[in-house]
Amino acid sequence: MGNDLNDRSRTILEAIVDDYISSGDPVGSRAMTRRHNMDISPATVRNVMADLEEMGYLASPHTSAGRIPTDKGYRYYVDSLLQLRELTSREKQRIEDHCNVEKKSVESLLQETGKALSSLSSYAGIVMAPRFTSTVFRHIEFVRLSGGKVLVVFVSQSGLVQNKLIELDEDLSQRELEKITNYLNNALSGMTIQEVKEKVAAEMKQEKALYDELMQRALNLSDKALAEDVEERVYIEGASSFLELPDFADVGKMKKLFLAFEQKSRLVDLLDKSQEASGVQIFIGSANSYNEIEGCSLITSSYRNVHGTIGTLGVIGPNRMKYSKVIPIVDYTARLISRLMETGLGKEK
Amino acid sequence: MGNDLNDRSRTILEAIVDDYISSGDPVGSRAMTRRHNMDISPATVRNVMADLEEMGYLASPHTSAGRIPTDKGYRYYVDSLLQLRELTSREKQRIEDHCNVEKKSVESLLQETGKALSSLSSYAGIVMAPRFTSTVFRHIEFVRLSGGKVLVVFVSQSGLVQNKLIELDEDLSQRELEKITNYLNNALSGMTIQEVKEKVAAEMKQEKALYDELMQRALNLSDKALAEDVEERVYIEGASSFLELPDFADVGKMKKLFLAFEQKSRLVDLLDKSQEASGVQIFIGSANSYNEIEGCSLITSSYRNVHGTIGTLGVIGPNRMKYSKVIPIVDYTARLISRLMETGLGKEK
DNA sequence: CGTTAGCACTCATGATTGACGAGTGCTAAC
DNA sequence: GTTAGCACTCGTCAATCATGAGTGCTAACG
């Protein structure tokens, strides 16, 4: 499949998608032939359109309007018709300027990147930090607060920081906490959190742990500390750009979209999916069964350091997104962030 | 000022504001007398309305529409007419259920509180964490990453965590960093960041620092670590509730509002202002010269622990907000958070 | 046989109109 | 001081209509 269309059909489909992307109005046969200086008559175009509609690439909102692309139409356009251009060095520079603003922290780098993606694409930028369980352990710290509460601070190898409050069963002095801290920092260095969890679980079962009080406490504590994985991992920036799109003039749709942005959880699922694949991925319309973001397409790419994929970023926009413009932006940004995380932060010396 | 209206005028003004808040439509004389079973004629009401308009409490969108309250009108209503009711214990329970969800971290507590405020008020909830410079120092930690980068992690007494990347001039081993860490943790405990900054600046000038290499490095490092204050301090939740309000049907207004929510910086100014005052504060309309949030009113209250005010929270909604409902919610939530920060986290043992 | 011109038909859009109703201000009477 | 009455204003809504872009179909053309 993919190339089951003849040349003329392909040309016409491309023209329709192009026109619809830039105007947002259903495109009709005559206006189209004129705009593209085609040397075939509107009637011919109409025949072809009827075929394309039959095949599921186009749809007509109502009898006497023009045609609009279906999800399948967009998909074909993106996969087989679209030719990407390189970014100019000026554009590359703009991306770098946006992201390279003095790195205050990894979190703010990711957030800035989201803003950059939004600003450059004029849609919404989305950046997902690594899933916690798959980050690599770098440092753990326990700080006693009042009321038997202890604040646990983790630092991952890529420089992400997470913190969590836990409650102690038994009162430990700051001194004891420090011992435990040292023990854990030595024992766990370089493992992923997932591995750490497994190791902790395994050792807790072992006999010898029962006799080493310090170790027992350490295990107990880290077990609690790692128990749940409940962080804010997604930054969405520039959602307000959707407000201008006529595609979402319906308040109901818009509301659904913004609620999805606020909840994020479903988006995390979607982005997790794309985490494994390499290169730019494109989710079109509700092809993805996430009807919260109906009418939206998502262009993502993962970023990585020497240890592998560490996160995903991309742009979320309407189905009729300027793919040819956005895809190179996402691609380049992902590479840039990979580079930044590599040289600046992520790599262990 | 405040009571320069006679009883009838006050009754009528109150009725108008009430009606407008619940309907959103300009309220006319006849409909109003009927709705409130008033024993005066519409004509009389009209006379009073004309007076109120003259005095600046009301305005008419056009000749033959009803009246709507001006900012001044709302202000009078809130200050002199509104009578607050206590929350029922069921409502209190709902707030507590929302906020008291297992405290994973201070940040997530604050964010949950924002969601609670939004959900309970059906407007947008807003929560501001303490200004960094005024938080009380609890713990600092340096973690070496690659490329001469060091990650600094601060913990405040209330359990807030912040992190920042800094670059070292000279290469320090993790061992040296630990020494510095210990030194700083002992020397700075219990001071506000502002005081810490001042102390560091003062000591850097002193002769003796020049001879103690460790101390010099420590000062140097902490100077860098504290240099800038660039964090995400504001959580806004439930902004999408504005999408349903007819008051913001105009896309331009809506966009301006959402951009303000995204940028946050102006809101921080506004909330900082209200930080000092105690009790519930109400900002109405553009009385506050923040025209980004034109048409919005803000109800805030600060929360505090034993050391004093540590943050601000509230609800942001349209001018015609259900003040009588929202004010008690904000008040109660602020007290609740104060209590949680007090007993759970903030108080040093 | 593919292509095209011609034609009848559909349908969204936008402007125009008129009835309606809710509202106002003013004046005069109570 | 209060109210009834009245003329007037204006936004809203529904109906109507012209317009124009679009379609599908058929028949003619090269």
Side-chain angles (χ1 to χ4, degrees):
Chain A
M1 105 145 230
N3 268 27
D4 54 347
L5 295 180
N6 62 37
D7 255 12
R8 191 170 61 190
S9 305
R10 291 160 57 87
T11 313
I12 289 177
L13 179 55
E14 184 177 4
I16 291 174
V17 178
D18 277 339
D19 281 6
Y20 185 67
I21 284 179
S22 62
S23 77
D25 296 323
V27 8
S29 52
R30 191 158 57 181
M32 199 198 73
T33 52
R34 212 171 300 160
R35 182 161 29 224
H36 292 267
N37 297 319
M38 285 183 160
D39 49 358
I40 50 179
S41 81
T44 311
V45 172
R46 281 202 287 280
N47 289 330
V48 176
M49 280 177 162
D51 294 346
L52 288 171
E53 182 165 358
E54 181 108 12
M55 287 186 280
Y57 294 106
L58 297 178
S60 27
H62 59 84
T63 337
S64 79
R67 302 301 212 292
I68 61 175
T70 59
D71 290 350
K72 185 179 174 189
Y74 283 118
R75 172 54 60 194
Y76 189 91
Y77 172 83
V78 167
D79 289 344
S80 310
L81 300 173
L82 193 64
Q83 35 209 2
L84 299 175
R85 53 180 190 73
E86 270 290 299
L87 292 175
T88 65
S89 57
R90 215 182 130 277
E91 290 170 311
K92 289 180 182 172
Q93 193 56 51
R94 273 194 70 199
I95 297 179
E96 287 175 29
D97 290 349
H98 258 100
C99 295
N100 232 341
V101 60
E102 201 197 340
K103 297 159 225 151
K104 306 149 197 162
S105 69
V106 179
E107 290 81 359
S108 63
L109 168 64
L110 296 181
Q111 191 169 8
E112 281 306 318
T113 303
K115 286 184 184 166
L117 284 166
S118 168
S119 147
L120 293 160
S121 68
S122 69
Y123 303 115
I126 182 164
V127 178
M128 185 175 71
R131 176 175 284 280
F132 183 55
T133 50
S134 67
T135 57
V136 178
F137 180 94
R138 174 72 188 83
H139 189 87
I140 194 169
E141 190 74 28
F142 296 91
V143 180
R144 263 162 56 95
L145 300 175
S146 63
K149 294 265 193 331
V150 169
L151 185 72
V152 194
V153 180
F154 304 97
V155 179
S156 81
Q157 211 155 33
S158 54
L160 271 169
V161 177
Q162 298 224 332
N163 74 90
K164 181 169 177 184
L165 281 168
I166 60 178
E167 208 143 342
L168 292 184
D169 300 330
E170 46 184 351
D171 205 21
L172 294 173
S173 69
Q174 182 73 39
R175 181 94 194 86
E176 287 170 299
L177 280 177
E178 271 166 32
K179 270 194 195 163
I180 295 177
T181 303
N182 285 334
Y183 169 73
L184 290 175
N185 278 324
N186 287 324
L188 307 179
S189 181
M191 304 169 73
T192 68
I193 301 295
Q194 184 57 39
E195 289 164 350
V196 170
K197 276 188 189 168
E198 284 160 11
K199 175 167 178 179
V200 168
E203 299 210 348
M204 280 179 89
K205 279 191 195 149
Q206 283 185 16
E207 288 283 323
K208 79 167 186 183
L210 296 175
Y211 298 103
D212 183 340
E213 203 185 352
L214 178 69
M215 188 174 170
Q216 197 183 338
R217 284 180 174 167
L219 290 174
N220 203 341
L221 209 52
S222 47
D223 187 46
K224 271 193 184 172
L226 299 173
E228 228 178 320
D229 166 22
V230 279
E231 73 294 39
E232 255 330 288
R233 295 168 56 217
V234 180
Y235 303 91
I236 297 175
E237 302 290 333
S240 59
S241 53
F242 277 92
L243 288 170
E244 292 176 327
L245 295 173
D247 314 55
F248 295 85
D250 174 40
V251 182
K253 269 190 195 170
M254 185 76 86
K255 174 115 194 206
K256 206 155 75 172
L257 186 59
F258 273 81
L259 282 177
F261 287 164
E262 280 177 359
Q263 301 202 171
K264 293 178 183 173
S265 53
R266 302 299 304 276
L267 285 170
V268 172
D269 294 349
L270 193 51
L271 291 174
D272 269 341
K273 260 198 211 167
S274 82
Q275 184 113 316
E276 287 98 46
S278 73
V280 175
Q281 283 203 288
I282 299 168
F283 300 86
I284 290 169
S286 49
N288 39 58
S289 78
Y290 289 84
N291 74 347
E292 286 92 339
I293 53 168
E294 203 183 330
C296 289
S297 289
L298 188 56
I299 299 179
T300 67
S301 181
S302 56
Y303 55 94
R304 50 185 56 249
N305 66 11
V306 281
H307 298 94
T309 296
I310 50 178
T312 303
L313 55 78
V315 167
I316 181 165
N319 279 347
R320 56 173 199 93
M321 179 161 26
K322 288 179 184 144
Y323 295 96
S324 60
K325 177 184 164 193
V326 177
I327 292 174
I329 291 176
V330 170
D331 188 40
Y332 189 79
T333 307
R335 289 175 203 277
L336 175 66
I337 297 302
S338 295
R339 210 165 66 228
L340 290 178
M341 299 288 281
E342 197 84 63
T343 64
L345 320 165
K347 200 170 57 184
E348 198 56 43
K349 217 174 202 169
Chain B
M1 106 143 229
N3 269 27
D4 54 346
L5 295 180
N6 61 38
D7 255 12
R8 192 170 61 191
S9 306
R10 291 160 56 88
T11 312
I12 289 177
L13 179 54
E14 185 177 4
I16 291 176
V17 178
D18 277 339
D19 281 5
Y20 185 66
I21 283 180
S22 62
S23 78
D25 297 323
V27 12
S29 52
R30 190 159 57 180
M32 197 197 72
T33 52
R34 212 171 302 160
R35 181 160 29 223
H36 292 266
N37 296 321
M38 287 182 159
D39 49 359
I40 51 180
S41 81
T44 310
V45 172
R46 283 203 287 278
N47 290 331
V48 177
M49 279 177 163
D51 295 346
L52 288 171
E53 182 166 358
E54 180 108 14
M55 287 187 278
Y57 294 106
L58 296 178
S60 27
H62 59 84
T63 337
S64 80
R67 302 302 212 291
I68 61 176
T70 60
D71 289 350
K72 187 179 173 188
Y74 283 118
R75 172 55 60 193
Y76 188 91
Y77 172 83
V78 167
D79 290 345
S80 310
L81 300 173
L82 193 63
Q83 34 209 2
L84 299 175
R85 52 178 191 75
E86 270 289 299
L87 292 175
T88 65
S89 56
R90 213 182 131 277
E91 290 169 311
K92 288 180 183 174
Q93 193 56 50
R94 272 194 69 199
I95 298 180
E96 286 174 32
D97 290 348
H98 259 100
C99 294
N100 234 342
V101 59
E102 203 197 336
K103 297 158 223 150
K104 308 151 198 162
S105 70
V106 179
E107 291 81 359
S108 65
L109 167 65
L110 296 181
Q111 191 170 9
E112 280 306 317
T113 303
K115 286 183 183 167
L117 284 166
S118 167
S119 146
L120 292 159
S121 67
S122 69
Y123 303 115
I126 182 165
V127 177
M128 186 174 71
R131 175 174 284 280
F132 184 56
T133 50
S134 67
T135 56
V136 179
F137 179 95
R138 174 70 188 84
H139 188 87
I140 194 168
E141 190 74 25
F142 296 91
V143 180
R144 264 162 57 95
L145 299 175
S146 64
K149 294 262 191 339
V150 169
L151 185 72
V152 194
V153 180
F154 305 98
V155 180
S156 81
Q157 211 154 33
S158 52
L160 270 169
V161 177
Q162 298 224 331
N163 74 89
K164 182 170 177 183
L165 280 169
I166 61 178
E167 206 142 343
L168 293 184
D169 300 329
E170 46 185 348
D171 203 23
L172 294 173
S173 69
Q174 182 73 37
R175 181 94 195 85
E176 287 171 299
L177 281 177
E178 271 167 30
K179 271 193 193 164
I180 295 177
T181 303
N182 286 334
Y183 169 73
L184 290 174
N185 277 324
N186 286 324
L188 306 180
S189 181
M191 303 168 74
T192 69
I193 301 295
Q194 183 58 38
E195 289 164 351
V196 170
K197 276 187 188 169
E198 283 159 12
K199 176 168 178 180
V200 168
E203 299 210 348
M204 279 179 90
K205 279 192 195 145
Q206 281 186 20
E207 287 285 323
K208 79 166 184 184
L210 296 175
Y211 298 102
D212 184 339
E213 204 185 353
L214 177 68
M215 189 172 171
Q216 198 182 336
R217 286 181 174 168
L219 290 175
N220 204 341
L221 210 52
S222 49
D223 186 47
K224 272 194 183 170
L226 300 173
E228 227 178 319
D229 167 21
V230 279
E231 72 294 42
E232 255 329 288
R233 295 168 58 218
V234 180
Y235 303 90
I236 297 175
E237 303 290 334
S240 58
S241 55
F242 277 91
L243 288 170
E244 293 177 326
L245 295 173
D247 313 55
F248 293 86
D250 174 40
V251 181
K253 269 191 194 170
M254 186 75 85
K255 173 114 196 210
K256 205 155 75 171
L257 186 59
F258 274 80
L259 282 176
F261 286 165
E262 280 178 359
Q263 302 202 172
K264 294 180 181 170
S265 54
R266 304 297 307 274
L267 285 170
V268 172
D269 294 350
L270 192 52
L271 291 173
D272 269 341
K273 259 197 210 165
S274 82
Q275 184 114 314
E276 287 99 44
S278 72
V280 175
Q281 282 203 290
I282 299 167
F283 300 87
I284 289 169
S286 50
N288 40 57
S289 79
Y290 288 84
N291 75 348
E292 286 93 339
I293 53 167
E294 205 183 328
C296 290
S297 289
L298 188 56
I299 299 179
T300 67
S301 181
S302 57
Y303 56 93
R304 49 185 59 248
N305 66 10
V306 281
H307 298 95
T309 295
I310 50 176
T312 303
L313 56 78
V315 167
I316 181 163
N319 279 346
R320 56 174 199 93
M321 178 159 30
K322 287 180 186 146
Y323 294 96
S324 59
K325 175 185 166 193
V326 177
I327 292 174
I329 291 175
V330 170
D331 188 40
Y332 188 79
T333 307
R335 290 177 204 277
L336 175 65
I337 297 302
S338 296
R339 209 163 67 227
L340 289 179
M341 299 287 281
E342 198 84 64
T343 63
L345 323 164
K347 199 169 57 182
E348 198 56 43
K349 217 170 200 172

